[in-house]
Amino acid sequence: MEIEEKEDLVVQETDKNYKERLDAIKKRDLTDAKFGYQRLTDRTPRNGWLVNVQPSESFDELTKTVISVVDFYFLQDDGSRFKISYPFKPYLYVGTTPGYELHVASYLGKKYNYITIDHVEKENLDLKNHLSGLKSKFLKISFPSTMELMRFKKEIMPQIYKNQNDLKARTNYNAFLERHLGSAQYENMREVYQEIIDIREYDLPYHMRVCIDEKFFVGLWYTVIGRDVDTQRPIIKRNEDLIDQPDPV
């Protein structure tokens, strides 16, 4: 874990916009504070009516890196306000040629040492018999922030488009090579990056992704804790006992 954190820091400190991102975080907090939205960091539960959601960034004191967060803005019944900066790693999915998931995961992990890779199975609507419940294997790639996600996407998208076009063109040619060269020899002729053939859920806005995954919705009451004792993360939990919107006097 410590190695990953140091690698993240190296990547971000070499980013030309790193200091600008830190300055933007401070300015955003000052602006929110002027409107009464101080960041909640204590461990006392509060009830708040969610009024707004904005993608943002924060400086993580534990890892000393800039991470993506979503700022949730709450209004209490007495009219007081607060916000929660909720950390959540942005992610996307990468598809590979069947059987090459481990090879591609190893390749990407070495090339982008700041990412986290999980092997998952998801419904694939491109399959002709997807209604039967069959799923495809994908690599879930998670990033410290949206900045790294966008950099990754910018670099890998042209290669994926090329691989997809090559895949269509070589379908019949593959069979010819395998007949004449043998399957093993043909496999050795190809590079690992040529087996990356799909990318999914890369264009969903970050704050929408978080709200969908965590089931957070504006216009509802939540019980909020600024920092949990065990996880040191904020907790936002739906409070179904409160229904009416706040009516501060």
Side-chain angles (χ1 to χ4, degrees):
M1 180 64 179
E2 291 180 357
I3 294 177
E4 291 180 357
E5 292 169 358
K6 290 179 181 178
E7 289 172 344
D8 288 349
L9 183 58
V10 170
V11 170
Q12 293 193 342
E13 285 186 337
T14 56
D15 191 332
K16 296 179 180 179
N17 298 325
Y18 180 71
K19 292 184 177 179
E20 294 180 7
R21 294 167 71 187
L22 293 177
D23 291 339
I25 291 170
K26 295 177 181 178
K27 291 179 181 179
R28 189 180 303 111
D29 285 344
L30 289 174
T31 300
D32 287 343
K34 289 180 180 179
F35 288 93
Y37 289 101
Q38 296 279 359
R39 181 181 289 108
L40 182 66
T41 57
D42 61 41
R43 297 168 180 172
T44 303
R46 299 190 190 184
N47 291 322
W49 176 269
L50 185 56
V51 295
N52 197 11
V53 177
Q54 291 293 328
S56 185
E57 290 187 321
S58 180
F59 183 75
D60 189 346
E61 293 292 345
L62 294 177
T63 63
K64 305 300 180 183
T65 59
V66 176
I67 61 173
S68 283
V69 299
V70 174
D71 283 340
F72 291 95
Y73 298 83
F74 294 92
L75 177 64
Q76 297 187 93
D77 205 27
D78 62 1
S80 58
R81 307 169 184 179
F82 66 90
K83 77 171 184 177
I84 283 289
S85 293
Y86 191 85
F88 189 96
K89 284 189 174 184
Y91 64 87
L92 50 76
Y93 295 97
V94 165
T96 73
T97 304
Y100 279 85
E101 294 83 10
L102 292 176
H103 298 79
V104 172
S106 177
Y107 166 78
L108 293 177
K110 292 177 181 177
K111 185 175 182 179
Y112 304 97
N113 55 19
Y114 50 83
I115 65 175
T116 303
I117 303 176
D118 295 302
H119 295 258
V120 299
E121 291 188 355
K122 290 177 60 65
E123 291 185 4
N124 187 353
L125 300 182
D126 290 341
L127 295 177
K128 294 181 179 180
N129 54 347
H130 67 272
L131 294 177
S132 64
L134 290 179
K135 296 183 177 181
S136 295
K137 295 180 179 180
F138 288 90
L139 301 178
K140 180 182 177 182
I141 315 293
S142 302
F143 306 84
S145 74
T146 55
M147 190 70 68
E148 286 79 22
L149 183 148
M150 289 187 292
R151 184 185 304 138
F152 175 88
K153 182 177 70 172
K154 182 178 180 181
E155 292 180 5
I156 203 171
M157 287 285 276
Q159 183 64 49
I160 290 178
Y161 288 142
K162 182 178 184 303
N163 292 348
Q164 289 176 339
N165 291 330
D166 289 347
L167 181 63
K168 296 176 183 178
R170 74 174 189 249
T171 301
N172 294 328
Y173 190 54
N174 283 4
F176 173 81
L177 288 177
E178 289 182 7
R179 283 198 303 270
H180 290 79
L181 298 178
S183 178
Q185 186 175 348
Y186 169 67
E187 295 292 342
N188 292 333
M189 293 172 58
R190 297 183 51 75
E191 298 291 343
V192 175
Y193 62 79
Q194 293 178 285
E195 309 301 337
I196 307 173
I197 57 174
D198 199 2
I199 185 169
R200 301 285 178 95
E201 300 188 22
Y202 58 87
D203 54 354
L204 183 64
Y206 171 66
H207 61 298
M208 292 180 61
R209 155 70 67 198
V210 177
C211 289
I212 291 172
D213 284 12
E214 300 293 279
K215 296 180 174 58
F216 297 145
F217 305 102
V218 171
L220 294 174
W221 283 99
Y222 294 87
T223 298
V224 183
I225 297 177
R227 183 171 296 176
D228 181 63
V229 177
D230 297 324
T231 65
Q232 297 300 306
R233 290 167 51 91
I235 294 179
I236 304 176
K237 186 177 180 181
R238 174 83 170 91
N239 189 332
E240 297 182 354
D241 295 331
L242 300 175
I243 299 176
D244 297 333
Q245 67 184 59
D247 186 20
V249 179

